[in-house]
Every structure is written in structure tokens, then in C-alpha cells.
């Protein structure tokens, strides 16, 4: 084998701490290496041409590139090698940037490590086999998880391109958090007015199968070929019979037992209920926890009033299986709760703000409901405790955000804007009211955002105070907010009627569970991880799984919508061809060695191992051996490590290759 | 101290999806860590055959690190559980063949845990440094060459 070695300086990123010339020189002495050079930018056009030219001139049949992480440019270099006529799987990458130059300071030590890594890669490539990618068919159907604005947008985009969509929403209605909002910044559009037509469009779209009050239970398979099991939770209402008249909810005798989730627990709802009047679908659900029938069987008022016999107390959860090619995850966020009781709080430490203790200390979404025309106060500013109009409201930003000691290190991004909006809406309705905002910095990056905040300050007279609040306590019917004005350098005290906390946006509580169901990565906060923060922001590293909206990180409506359209575009790219190429690094059975113990079959998570019968010429079965279904095998290699006779091997990561790498350490 | 200039050689078997990517993140975040560890990338910790670990010691490694996705987070659903089970069985064997269990470290590092990767590496390198070089197998090898 004739191997060519190519060391990239990555501008100065590698060259600064790794002596690339010395690495190239050292590599030239490795057995089988016939060509070893370094270059400033190996991934650039001239760099790639160097590789191609060397392959042609020297008839190389193996290439090792010392560069950035293979997760970055493995594809690029494999393609270059392939263009020059060498099998792309005879190209290996040694990670000299992320694993060497960026993490070590000492040039000598870093260079030595780089040479070691190059030796590993050379030893591995010598034992690589030329491989062909596997072709698998693509199911051109998309699953969208989450029916908030991001999920709605993604579903509509894919469906409008002509492909079928299954939209799964765990709540009884689609709409998500956007349907709860009063008006949206910076245009002050009524949120429901712009959202509900979209919700109806989803409902009526012939290509969209809407499944509300449903959750994804199981995801099997892989890109282009997922099999998804969806649990359709029992509503106790037959959705094919219900006409959405609403009589059941009106007549339901349970009036004050359950707090409305939609109104953020500021109002009550009945036991049989539609979350809000514009809900899609307009079909109620029965809350088993409070319904008298489910408690003691004594009430069935809803059955009596329903003219269509749609109430079905015996309804069970259903499991529905769908064949899916691409998954778009748009499960959104929640606001984190800072209850006064430590056991109820997710994060301890904000007890001094009295959330949960004082009725008039509310969070951002609760204030949205108070400000909303569809809310419990019909848009009149009344404080929850006594219904009086608050004359002085204090808004506190960054409660949990940008606060490593008590909350999260990240910025929740939307709070500066919605706080300005809250204060503005309040001032528009309560002209003699005073609005104070405690802030750390005002982050108003976005089209017309900064102008919006300036308007709140300059035109509406909202008073901004740069500083943190140390404590809130009740005294003579007022909430005493003690804080600091850091610009004036003085302590400050405001006797407020109401306090609004801009609490951090956090991942959904069950976000890790869904990630584990799908098999995709998530970060320490529970937000789903993208492959690359800049260049592949809407793709999960699990093939065929795309991300949209605030499930990835805090973001506002326009960003979520843009991301949803991008995710839809990614799904459509997948549907652009009938067949899909997959990495050929899968397991392979040496039938001569296989004893037919089928331990491999037991450990395989994909049911990829099948039983193959070996027959003699008379058709009698001589023995049974394992057989790998190449369409199902994902190449984890668990079978390889399990096989007692080493009859099954993971191509690309064979024992021989790994032992050669280990031996190369010396 | 005799170990003052001793720089251990450590081989790490890591999975492609979690720990390798976590190491990439440590790089992208420009975190600094001890340079003694050489990563061998595998698709999954489920691919790790205990013999590989013995082989690493035989070839002169002073320590071996195994790291993959957190339980439940495996890209391949369950590979890391198999790895964990094997480890439970295997560490007794390690003791039997005369390798100090502390020279093998098993950890979970996810793709977002660049900082944890650094801590694991630094912690383990220091631990192995304190232990000194692993010479037992080399001695056996030498004896084997001389006698046989």
C-alpha cells in the first residue's frame, strides 16, 4: 500500500502549537508512507488539489489527513480522495486541531502527540477495506413532534411541498405557548390573531394528520426508515362524533377544582374542557383527576347533555404505528418555576422574591394571560389577589438566566423584549401607572427590537433601573422591592402593587426522555444539541432528525419560525431522492467461523441479526449461522465485542484495525 | 520523588457520538488538559472487547480510559449498557491477571460535557502518575523473550 500523508496548518490554528513540518517529516518515515507534506489550508481548493494530484502522480492507494475533527471535514477529504479515483473509505483523519493544538500549549509535547495520532491513523488506514455505501429506500413522510408555532410552521412547509406529515402534540390543542401570548413584540400584533389561522390551516390540510393529546412512545429504525409508535391518550370523548358545541363544559358541575393550564393557573376550568375557545381541534378532554365520574361514578352530566353520544368513559389509550422518513422535533420550552417551597422549586435560591408565596408576584406567562384579551381578566390589568388595578408594577429581568450561582449561565434571549412589551402594554392601559424594570443589560438584538425598547423608555415612560433585586416582602398591602441602582450607586426601594418575574426559559421537563426515545443528544440543560452551532444548526447528529424552535435553545417567534422552515427544508432535501446512501461500516459475518451461538442476536438493539441456514447439495441443513441485515444494522459493534469466536466483525473497526492502533502507541 | 518526570501513556477508548464529540467541544472551547491520553475512536462503547484493554496494557499503556454516552443516552440505544455489564464482569478478571484496577477508568462523558472530559482526563492522568509506570507486563514480556 502506498500512503500519502497530508498535514494541515489550519491557518495558524494547528500550526501555532504543532510543528507541522516536523510532523510531516516524522510521518515520512512511517512504513508504507511514500509522500508526506504540509499545507496552510488542506480543506481549501488548492489543498484538495494537492491530495488529488499526489494520488495521480504517485499512485497512492491510501490517504491520511492530519487536520480538524473528522466530524468537521471527513466528508470533504473522502470526497476529494474519491474524485481522484481512490475508494473514499481508504482515507483516515487524525484530529490535530480539537484534540491537540487547541488543548495543549507546549509545542514539543503537542507535536509529539500529533505524530502519535498520525501513526494511529496510518496503521488504521493500512487495514481499511474499500467499501461501497449502502443504498436504502426513503419513506417520504415526516413526523413533527410538538404543535407550537415551530411545529405548525414545519408541518405546513413540508405538507405544502406535497409530502405527508404526522403532527403529534401532547396537549389537547395545538398552538403552544404562542397561543397564550397577548401581543407580540415588536409589532404588537395580537398573537392569537396571527396564530389561529395557521392552526386551522394545519387542521384542514389534506396532507397533515393531526394527533393531539398524543405522545411519541417509541422510535425504531433509522434515517429514511423510522417506525414510530404514538400513544393517543384517552380523551374520553369520541373525536369522530363530537361537534365541539361546548355544552358539556358549560354543564359540568366541577367548576372550582381544577386550575386552567392555559391561563397559567390564574383561572379555573371544568373537568371536561377545551383548553381555550380557539383550540384546534375543538374537542374537549376529561380530566380524570377531578372528574366525579372517575372518582365515584356518581356524575354523568356531560353524557346527558351531549346530543351526539360522544362521551366515552371507557375509552382507552391507543397505540398507532407510523412509517416515517424524517423527524422534526419542535417541543418548545417552559418557564422554570421558583416556588417558595424548596422541594417544589427546580432551582433553589429565589425564595426571596416570594413567587408562590405572594399572589401578586407572577411570572412572564402569567402576566401574558393577564394582559391578554382572552385571559381571565379579559385584558384588564387586575392583580390576582384582589382584582384591583395595580398602580405600580416592578418587572425583574434575568430571574434564573445569566445567573450561574442560582440558575443558568445562559441568556434566555426573549425576556428583555417581552418585559419591555409588558411594561408598554401596561402603560397603554393604565396611564397613571408606574412601571419599573430592573435589568442587568438590555439585549435587544433583532430587527426593530432596539427601537422598541427605546419606545418603551422614551415614549411610554417606563423606568429602567440597572441593578438586581435582593428581596421582596409584603408590608401594608404593598410589596416592598429592595434593590440596587448600580448606575447611581445607591440602594433603591419601591413599594409595588405587583411584581413580574422574567423567569428563565428552560427545556421541557421530559426533554431528556424524548431524546432517549429518539436516540439524539441533548445538553446539560436538556436542550437538544445541533450538529454544528454555525453551519448545521437545525440538524441533530442522529440522521434524519431535525430541530426547530426553543427545544434547541431559548429563542423568540421569528427565530423559531425561521428554524422550523429550515428544518422542513432539510426534511425535503432528504425526500429529494428515492434512495439514501448510508455508511457501510456495519457488521459482517465470517460464516466459516460462526458457530451459530447467536449471542450477537441477543445483544443487537436493531434486530439486524438473522438466522441463515447453510445447506448441502441435497438441501439438508448443515448448520445455522448469523446473517447481518445491512438495511437494519447501524454499526455499533456490540455484536463484534460479544462474539466468542470473533466470527462477526464491524467493518471499519475490526479487531485487527484496533489492535494495530493500540500497537502504534509504542 | 521518582515519578516526578514520569509521563504516563494512556489509551482511551471512546465512542464517536458522546465522548469523542465532548473532546471536540473541549477543543473548540480551548480548554487545556494533560497531553498523555491518546484517543481511539469507536462507534460505541459496546464495541469494546475487554481483550482490547488487556492488549493496551500489554503494549505498554500505563492506564486505560473507557468513556461513552451516559446510561440511556446511547446513540445505539443500549451499547453502553453492554459496556457497563462487561466492565462489571471484567474488573475482577483484571485483578486476577495482576493489573491494578485503578489503572482502568470508566466514565460517562456526553457530547456537551467538554469540561467534564477535561476533568476526567486530568484526574485520571494524575492518578496514574501517582501510581507510576506499569511494568509488570513488560517484565513478563522480557522474561518470555529470554526464556522462550
Amino acid at each position: 500500500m502506498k500512503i500519502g500523508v497530508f498535514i494541515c496548518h489550519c491557518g495558524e490554528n494547528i500550526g501555532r502549537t504543532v510543528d507541522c513540518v516536523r510532523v510531516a517529516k516524522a510521518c515520512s518515515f512511517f512504513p508504507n508512507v511514500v509522500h508526506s507534506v504540509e499545507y496552510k489550508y488542506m480543506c481549501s481548493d488548492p489543498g484538495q488539489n494537492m491530495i488529488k494530484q499526489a494520488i495521480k502522480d504517485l499512485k497512492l492507494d491510501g490517504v491520511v489527513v492530519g487536520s480538524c475533527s473528522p466530524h468537521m471535514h471527513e466528508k470533504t477529504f473522502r470526497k476529494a480522495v474519491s474524485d481522484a479515483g481512490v475508494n473514499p473509505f481508504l482515507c483516515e483523519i487524525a484530529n490535530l486541531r480539537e484534540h491537540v493544538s487547541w488543548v495543549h500549549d507546549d509545542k514539543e509535547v503537542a507535536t509529539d502527540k500529533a505524530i502519535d495520532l498520525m501513526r494511529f491513523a496510518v496503521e488504521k488506514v493500512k487495514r481499511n477495506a474499500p467499501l461501497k455505501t449502502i443504498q436504502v429506500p426513503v419513506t417520504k413522510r415526516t413526523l413533527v413532534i410538538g404543535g407550537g408555532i415551530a411545529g405548525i410552521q414545519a408541518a405546513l412547509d413540508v405538507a405544502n411541498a406535497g409530502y405527508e406529515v404526522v403532527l403529534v402534540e401532547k396537549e389537547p390543542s395545538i398552538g403552544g405557548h404562542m397561543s397564550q401570548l397577548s401581543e407580540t413584540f415588536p409589532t404588537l400584533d395580537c398573537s392569537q390573531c396571527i396564530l389561529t389561522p395557521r392552526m386551522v390551516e394545519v387542521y384542514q390540510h389534506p396532507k397533515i394528520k393531526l394527533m393531539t393529546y398524543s405522545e411519541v412512545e417509541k422510535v425504531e429504525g433509522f434515517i429514511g426508515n423510522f417506525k414510530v409508535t404514538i400513544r393517543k391518550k384517552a380523551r374520553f370523548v369520541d373525536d369522530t362524533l363530537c361537534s365541539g358545541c361546548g355544552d358539556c363544559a358549560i354543564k359540568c358541575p366541577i367548576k372550582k377544582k381544577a386550575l386552567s393550564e392555559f391561563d397559567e393557573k390564574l383561572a379555573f376550568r371544568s373537568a371536561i374542557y377545551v383548553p381555550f375557545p380557539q383550540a384546534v381541534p375543538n374537542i374537549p378532554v376529561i380530566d380524570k383527576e377531578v372528574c366525579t365520574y372517575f372518582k365515584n361514578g356518581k356524575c354523568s352530566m356531560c353524557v346527558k347533555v351531549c346530543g351526539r353520544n360522544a362521551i366515552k368513559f371507557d375509552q382507552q389509550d391507543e397505540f398507532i404505528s407510523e412509517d416515517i422518513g424524517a423527524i422534526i422535533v419542535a417541543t418548545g420550552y417552559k418557564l422554570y418555576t421558583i416556588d417558595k417551597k424548596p422541594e417544589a422549586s427546580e432551582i433553589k435560591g429565589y425564595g426571596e422574591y416570594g413567587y408562590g408565596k405572594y399572589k401578586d408576584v407572577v411570572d412572564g406567562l402569567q402576566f401574558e394571560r393577564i394582559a391578554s384579551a382572552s385571559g381571565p381578566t379579559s385584558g384588564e390589568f387586575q392583580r390576582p389577589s384582589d382584582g384591583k388595578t395595580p398602580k405600580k408594577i416592578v418587572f425583574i429581568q434575568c430571574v434564573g438566566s445569566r445567573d450561574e450561582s442560582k440558575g443558568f449561565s445562559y441568556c434566555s434571549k426573549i425576556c428583555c423584549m417581552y418585559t419591555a412589551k409588558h411594561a408598554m402594554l401596561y402603560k397603554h392601559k393604565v396611564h397613571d401607572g408606574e412601571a419599573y424594570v430592573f435589568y442587568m443589560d438590555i439585549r435587544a438584538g433583532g430587527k426593530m427590537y432596539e427601537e422598541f425598547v427605546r419606545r418603551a423608555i422614551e415614549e411610554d415612560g417606563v423606568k429602567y433601573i440597572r441593578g438586581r433585586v435582593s428581596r421582596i416582602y409584603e408590608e401594608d398591602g404593598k410589596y416592598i422591592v429592595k434593590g440596587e441602582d448600580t448606575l447611581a450607586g445607591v440602594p433603591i426601594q419601591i413599594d409595588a402593587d405587583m411584581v413580574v418575574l422574567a423567569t428563565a426559559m428552560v427545556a421541557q421537563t421530559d426533554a431528556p426522555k424524548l431524546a432517549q426515545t429518539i436516540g439524539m443528544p441533548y445538553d446539560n440543560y436538556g436542550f437538544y444539541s445541533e450538529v454544528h452551532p454555525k453551519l448545521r444548526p437545525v440538524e441533530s447528529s442522529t440522521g434524519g432528525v431535525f430541530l426547530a424552535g426553543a427545544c434547541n435553545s431559548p429563542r423568540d417567534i421569528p427565530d423559531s419560525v425561521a428554524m422550523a422552515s429550515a428544518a422542513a427544508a432539510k426534511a425535503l432535501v432528504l425526500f429529494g431522492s428515492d434512495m439514501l446512501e448510508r455508511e457501510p461500516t456495519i457488521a459482517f459475518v465470517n460464516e466459516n467461523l460462526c458457530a451459530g451461538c447467536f449471542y450477537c442476536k441477543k445483544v443487537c438493539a436493531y434486530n439486524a441479526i438473522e438466522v441463515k441456514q447453510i445447506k448441502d447439495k441435497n438441501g439438508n441443513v448443515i448448520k445455522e449461522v448469523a446473517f447481518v441485515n445491512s438495511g437494519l444494522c447501524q454499526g455499533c459493534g456490540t455484536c463484534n465485542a460479544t462474539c466468542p469466536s470473533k466470527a462477526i466483525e464491524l467493518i471499519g473497526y475490526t479487531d485487527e484495525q484496533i489492535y494495530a492502533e493500540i500497537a502504534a502507541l509504542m | 520523588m521518582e515519578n516526578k518526570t514520569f509521563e504516563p501513556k494512556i489509551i482511551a477508548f471512546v465512542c464517536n457520538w458522546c465522548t469523542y464529540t465532548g473532546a471536540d467541544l473541549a477543543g473548540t472551547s480551548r480548554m487545556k488538559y494533560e497531553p498523555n491520553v491518546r484517543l481511539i475512536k469507536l462507534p460505541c462503547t459496546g464495541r469494546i472487547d475487554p481483550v482490547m484493554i488487556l492488549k493496551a496494557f500489554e503494549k505498554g499503556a500505563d492506564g486505560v480510559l473507557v468513556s461513552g454516552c451516559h446510561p440511556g443516552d446511547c446513540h445505539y440505544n443500549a451499547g453502553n449498557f453492554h459496556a457497563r455489564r462487561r466492565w462489571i464482569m471484567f474488573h475482577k478478571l483484571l485483578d486476577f491477571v495482576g493489573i491494578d484496577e485503578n489503572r482502568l477508568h470508566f466514565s460517562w462523558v456526553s457530547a456537551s460535557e467538554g469540561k467534564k472530559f477535561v476533568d476526567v482526563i486530568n484526574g485520571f492522568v494524575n492518578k496514574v502518575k501517582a501510581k507510576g509506570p506499569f511494568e509488570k507486563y513488560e517484565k513478563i514480556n522480557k522474561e518470555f523473550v529470554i526464556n522462550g
Side-chain angles (χ1 to χ4, degrees):
Chain A
M1 194 175 203
K2 290 164 91 175
I3 298 168
V5 167
F6 302 86
I7 310 292
C8 178
H9 291 246
C10 192
E12 280 204 328
N13 279 303
I14 295 173
R16 197 179 294 128
T17 30
V18 172
D19 184 346
C20 296
V21 178
R22 179 152 87 83
V23 175
K25 185 98 199 298
C27 291
S28 67
F29 296 113
F30 293 165
N32 293 62
V33 172
V34 295
H35 183 65
S36 182
V37 289
E38 31 76 37
Y39 183 65
K40 267 261 174 280
Y41 290 103
M42 209 50 98
C43 59
S44 68
D45 221 28
Q48 291 190 43
N49 285 336
M50 269 174 82
I51 300 176
K52 289 179 197 169
Q53 200 58 47
I55 289 173
K56 279 176 195 147
D57 292 348
L58 299 161
K59 307 226 171 350
L60 302 176
D61 50 8
V63 168
V64 175
V65 185
S67 60
C68 52
S69 170
H71 290 162
M72 187 83 196
H73 274 316
E74 189 172 62
K75 271 194 184 152
T76 313
F77 291 121
R78 279 187 174 171
K79 181 161 186 308
V81 167
S82 171
D83 287 348
V86 171
N87 185 286
F89 294 91
L90 297 176
C91 168
E92 282 289 331
I93 310 294
N95 190 341
L96 304 189
R97 194 178 75 178
E98 279 83 348
H99 290 189
V100 183
S101 69
W102 277 352
V103 291
H104 304 311
D105 287 327
D106 186 319
K107 197 161 185 171
E108 278 300 301
V109 172
T111 306
D112 288 343
K113 183 172 174 183
I115 294 169
D116 274 356
L117 296 194
M118 291 305 296
R119 194 184 298 118
F120 275 28
V122 169
E123 287 306 315
K124 179 144 192 267
V125 83
K126 274 194 219 169
R127 291 157 180 88
N128 277 11
L131 302 174
K132 260 178 91 175
T133 50
I134 298 166
Q135 302 266 328
V136 285
V138 182
T139 307
K140 295 182 181 180
R141 295 180 88 221
T142 306
L143 169 73
V144 177
I145 308 173
I149 184 57
I152 288 172
Q153 181 69 35
L156 286 175
D157 281 346
V158 174
N160 286 336
Y163 295 100
E164 283 178 41
V165 175
V166 178
L167 176 57
V168 174
E169 165 61 51
K170 72 173 175 186
E171 299 296 334
S173 168
I174 55 169
H177 281 123
M178 188 176 166
S179 64
Q180 293 177 287
L181 307 182
S182 52
E183 292 170 16
T184 54
F185 60 78
T187 46
L188 296 186
D189 286 303
C190 153
S191 183
Q192 290 224 340
C193 310
I194 53 177
L195 176 66
T196 42
R198 289 289 174 98
M199 291 160 63
V200 174
E201 205 182 329
V202 165
Y203 190 56
Q204 293 174 342
H205 205 293
K207 292 277 184 191
I208 299 178
K209 178 175 176 183
L210 179 60
M211 295 179 72
T212 53
Y213 211 49
S214 301
E215 288 186 51
V216 172
E217 191 78 10
K218 200 159 108 187
V219 176
E220 296 164 289
F222 52 92
I223 179 169
N225 297 275
F226 294 106
K227 196 162 204 79
V228 180
T229 309
I230 299 156
R231 176 198 287 266
K232 197 174 168 213
K233 295 181 278 189
R235 290 181 108 98
F236 307 108
V237 175
D238 188 332
D239 51 7
T240 57
L241 295 174
C242 175
S243 68
C245 68
D247 286 351
C248 52
I250 295 167
K251 288 283 158 61
C252 178
I254 304 288
K255 295 291 179 210
K256 299 242 164 180
K257 273 193 187 164
L259 292 164
S260 161
E261 293 84 359
F262 183 75
D263 279 329
E264 292 292 329
K265 303 190 173 161
L266 293 172
F268 292 103
R269 61 158 169 79
S270 43
I272 184 165
Y273 70 103
V274 174
F276 55 106
Q278 299 83 358
V280 169
N282 186 16
I283 295 166
V285 290
I286 296 178
D287 181 351
K288 242 173 124 172
E289 302 301 313
V290 294
C291 173
T292 316
Y293 178 87
F294 283 100
K295 284 206 158 149
N296 52 30
K298 278 185 183 154
C299 171
S300 46
M301 184 58 84
C302 47
V303 177
K304 281 180 203 138
V305 298
C306 181
R308 295 180 150 239
N309 295 323
I311 311 290
K312 306 281 179 214
F313 287 129
D314 58 350
Q315 206 175 59
Q316 299 288 324
D317 288 5
E318 272 181 77
F319 293 90
I320 291 153
S321 177
E322 297 282 354
D323 290 320
I324 296 293
I327 300 175
I328 296 173
V329 184
T331 49
Y333 71 99
K334 62 168 200 155
L335 286 188
Y336 100 100
T337 45
I338 44 169
D339 223 288
K340 61 164 179 163
K341 283 180 259 156
E343 65 272 19
S345 301
E346 291 164 308
I347 301 272
K348 312 350 179 194
Y350 286 104
E352 68 268 28
Y353 289 174
Y355 181 84
K357 186 169 158 195
Y358 305 129
K359 275 193 163 176
D360 300 322
V361 177
V362 298
D363 68 24
L365 274 175
Q366 287 178 317
F367 196 77
E368 288 290 343
R369 295 312 300 148
I370 293 170
S372 170
S374 71
T377 60
S378 304
E380 292 304 316
F381 285 96
Q382 295 170 359
R383 57 186 209 168
S385 63
D386 54 9
K388 282 189 193 152
T389 304
K391 292 292 178 192
K392 210 183 264 185
I393 300 187
V394 169
F395 296 89
I396 305 173
Q397 292 193 181
C398 298
V399 179
S401 314
R402 304 181 62 198
D403 187 348
E404 257 180 86
S405 60
K406 290 181 178 180
F408 310 96
S409 48
Y410 60 80
C411 165
S412 287
K413 203 173 175 183
I414 63 165
C415 324
C416 286
M417 292 308 296
Y418 82 60
T419 300
K421 177 194 76 180
H422 283 167
M424 202 185 249
L425 292 176
Y426 168 68
K427 290 286 287 182
H428 288 177
K429 281 205 176 148
V430 184
H431 301 299
D432 58 341
E434 289 175 65
Y436 295 89
V437 176
F438 281 91
Y439 70 100
M440 278 160 58
D441 300 288
I442 300 173
R443 296 186 165 177
K447 197 171 181 180
M448 300 299 288
Y449 283 14
E450 177 62 22
E451 294 91 324
F452 184 82
V453 176
R454 299 292 346 153
R455 226 168 80 205
I457 299 168
E458 287 160 14
E459 289 177 25
D460 296 310
V462 178
K463 296 187 182 72
Y464 271 71
I465 302 159
R466 190 176 194 277
R468 300 290 283 162
V469 170
S470 60
R471 202 175 149 215
I472 297 167
Y473 59 92
E474 203 176 4
E475 202 175 88
D476 304 329
K478 293 277 185 189
Y479 298 101
I480 311 299
V481 180
K482 278 181 153 311
E484 186 193 13
D485 184 339
T486 53
L487 294 180
V490 291
I492 196 163
Q493 181 171 323
I494 298 167
D495 50 338
D497 298 317
M498 194 172 167
V499 179
V500 183
L501 308 177
T503 49
M505 276 172 108
V506 297
Q508 298 276 14
T509 317
D510 53 359
K513 193 176 154 234
L514 181 66
Q516 292 176 357
T517 304
I518 298 175
M520 63 173 178
Y522 54 97
D523 67 17
N524 297 350
Y525 304 112
F527 289 118
Y528 301 137
S529 313
E530 66 282 356
V531 180
H532 192 277
K534 293 179 196 73
L535 301 177
R536 296 173 70 188
V538 304
E539 292 161 79
S540 160
S541 68
T542 302
V545 180
F546 310 110
L547 308 171
C551 65
N552 168 249
S553 77
R555 49 172 50 86
D556 59 11
I557 294 166
D559 280 6
S560 296
V561 170
M563 195 175 176
S565 289
K570 285 286 173 191
L572 295 174
V573 168
L574 191 62
F575 299 163
S577 49
D578 296 326
M579 298 299 271
L580 191 73
E581 284 199 341
R582 276 192 45 221
E583 288 270 302
T585 45
I586 59 165
F588 174 80
V589 179
N590 182 337
E591 290 173 2
N592 294 325
L593 286 177
C594 178
C597 70
F598 295 106
Y599 284 163
C600 50
K601 196 171 158 65
K602 284 183 196 141
V603 298
C604 181
Y606 299 97
N607 296 321
I609 310 280
E610 292 166 6
V611 179
K612 184 181 171 186
Q613 295 183 328
I614 309 273
K615 292 175 182 167
D616 65 10
K617 61 183 175 186
N618 299 325
N620 300 318
V621 177
I622 305 168
K623 71 166 183 175
E624 286 183 331
V625 293
F627 174 78
V628 178
N629 181 329
S630 60
L632 294 176
C633 177
Q634 296 299 298
C636 68
T638 303
C639 54
N640 193 161
T642 307
C643 181
S645 53
K646 298 294 157 224
I648 194 163
E649 287 236 87
L650 180 62
I651 300 166
Y653 296 94
T654 60
D655 281 358
E656 193 200 351
Q657 286 173 310
I658 296 164
Y659 290 141
E661 283 188 82
I662 297 168
L665 177 76
M666 294 300 96
Chain B
M1 279 281 284
E2 56 168 317
N3 293 336
K4 212 170 181 182
T5 53
F6 165 60
E7 289 297 336
K9 283 182 178 168
I10 294 171
I11 284 196
F13 296 103
V14 301
C15 82
N16 176 41
W17 302 95
C18 290
T19 307
Y20 193 91
T21 314
D24 275 1
L25 179 65
T28 323
S29 319
R30 310 295 200 278
M31 295 168 178
K32 305 291 171 200
Y33 56 84
E34 297 288 341
N36 306 60
V37 181
R38 305 288 181 261
L39 262 55
I40 292 182
K41 183 177 75 154
L42 299 169
C44 179
T45 44
R47 172 68 187 90
I48 298 169
D49 188 331
V51 182
M52 288 175 194
I53 295 167
L54 291 178
K55 198 75 174 175
F57 282 117
E58 186 199 316
K59 290 289 174 192
D62 299 303
V64 174
L65 179 69
V66 172
S67 184
C69 306
H70 286 265
D73 294 357
C74 178
H75 182 80
Y76 302 104
N77 300 347
N80 56 356
F81 288 133
H82 290 292
R84 184 167 66 179
R85 274 179 227 156
R86 271 180 216 135
W87 156 245
I88 291 165
M89 302 297 291
F90 175 65
H91 77 279
K92 286 179 187 159
L93 175 71
L94 207 62
D95 187 46
F96 177 77
V97 298
I99 299 169
D100 184 347
E101 212 184 278
N102 292 314
R103 291 190 183 272
L104 178 59
H105 187 74
F106 198 101
S107 71
W108 316 115
V109 175
S110 82
S112 61
E113 293 175 325
K115 176 76 178 69
K116 186 177 174 190
F117 178 79
V118 170
D119 293 343
V120 165
I121 294 281
N122 287 343
F124 187 54
V125 168
N126 287 329
K127 199 164 142 187
V128 176
K129 262 186 192 169
K131 288 227 153 293
F134 179 68
E135 287 167 338
K136 190 168 178 173
Y137 271 28
E138 278 178 49
K139 278 182 195 158
I140 294 171
N141 271 348
K142 269 182 207 153
E143 280 170 26
F144 185 74
V145 172
I146 294 161
N147 300 333

